[in-house]
Structure formats: C-alpha cells, structure tokens
Amino acid sequence: MSRIISLGTDLCDMRRIEAAIDRFGMRFLDRVFTTEERAHAERRNGAARIGTYAKRWAAKEACAKALGTGFSGGVFHSDIGVRNRPGGAPMLVLTGGAAAHLDRMTPAGMTIDMQLSLTDEHPYALAQVLFQALSQDERRASAP
C-alpha cells in the first residue's frame, strides 16, 4: 500500500534570483544549476529566463525540505535537477548526496515516486515536491 513519505514546498522571489545572477553570473549558475537546467533556461529571454531559473531554485529548495536535510549532510543544489518530460511536465532527477539520502528514506521493499509541481506568477515562483512510497506491484501497475 502506498504512503506519503514527505512533502516540501518553496516560494521564491524571482527578483532575488535575478540579483544573484547579476551579481555572481556564471559562478552562481554553475554552482546551483545542472548543465541541462542552464541550457533549458538560456533558451528563453528576459523574464521567462529568470522565471525558469527561479522555478528550478524553488524545486531544489522544496526537494531539500522533503528530504529533511536542507543543503547539508552532503546534499548540494547541483544534486537536485529538474528535467522536463516529453510532454513538458517537470520531474526531479537526484544524484549524489540527495539520491543517497532518498535511498535511506525509502522503506524496505518499496520505491519512491517523486512528484514535482511548478508554477510562477511574477515576481514569485512556487514548487511543491511529494515523495510517495510504492510497493513493487503498485509501481508496475502505474507504469505507462
């Protein structure tokens, strides 16, 4: 039987992300965002570019909250990536310390279904992350 393991939410002010990019440039972008996230954001212009970065920042923060670690214990911003599925829906991709911590959170014999919801309304970006444990049978039944 599936069960919710954790939930995280973050609200980000796009102006804060824009100020960090203006001040620190590539040093900030390289430290926080994956190569794929940067490429995705850089295909956009102006406010859409900043909104893309802000939504991904909020997703990283929401995921760190759902992990229960924040950005400590070996969990870094770059360990939490956002990728878009072919239809456009966002999904999380965890590596490094974030993936290791999620593995430790996962109940024996179960897998984690990660759900990510993103939205923005200038000047804010919002992300919600849900970790749900599924049995192997539930995972097979929900597969496309």
Side-chain angles (χ1 to χ4, degrees), residues 42-125:
E42 293 301 324
R43 287 193 296 269
R44 290 163 168 68
N45 295 311
R49 175 178 166 264
I50 297 302
T52 299
Y53 279 124
K55 284 186 282 191
R56 278 147 183 77
W57 174 274
K60 293 167 186 287
E61 293 281 338
C63 183
K65 291 171 184 174
L67 288 170
T69 59
F71 292 102
S72 65
V75 176
F76 300 97
H77 285 89
S78 58
D79 291 341
I80 302 168
V82 176
R83 180 178 296 155
N84 289 83
R85 299 176 198 274
M91 62 182 265
L92 289 169
V93 178
L94 304 187
T95 59
H101 191 75
L102 184 62
D103 285 344
R104 288 190 296 274
M105 291 174 62
T106 304
M110 301 187 95
T111 60
I112 296 292
D113 178 46
M114 296 185 289
Q115 295 296 318
L116 170 63
S117 181
L118 301 174
T119 191
D120 64 328
E121 180 67 37
H122 194 273
Y124 301 107

Side-chain angles (χ1 to χ4, degrees), residues 27-39:
R27 195 171 100 212
F28 171 73
L29 294 174
D30 287 342
R31 192 182 108 240
V32 173
F33 299 99
T34 67
T35 302
E36 187 174 349
E37 288 172 315
R38 290 191 311 271

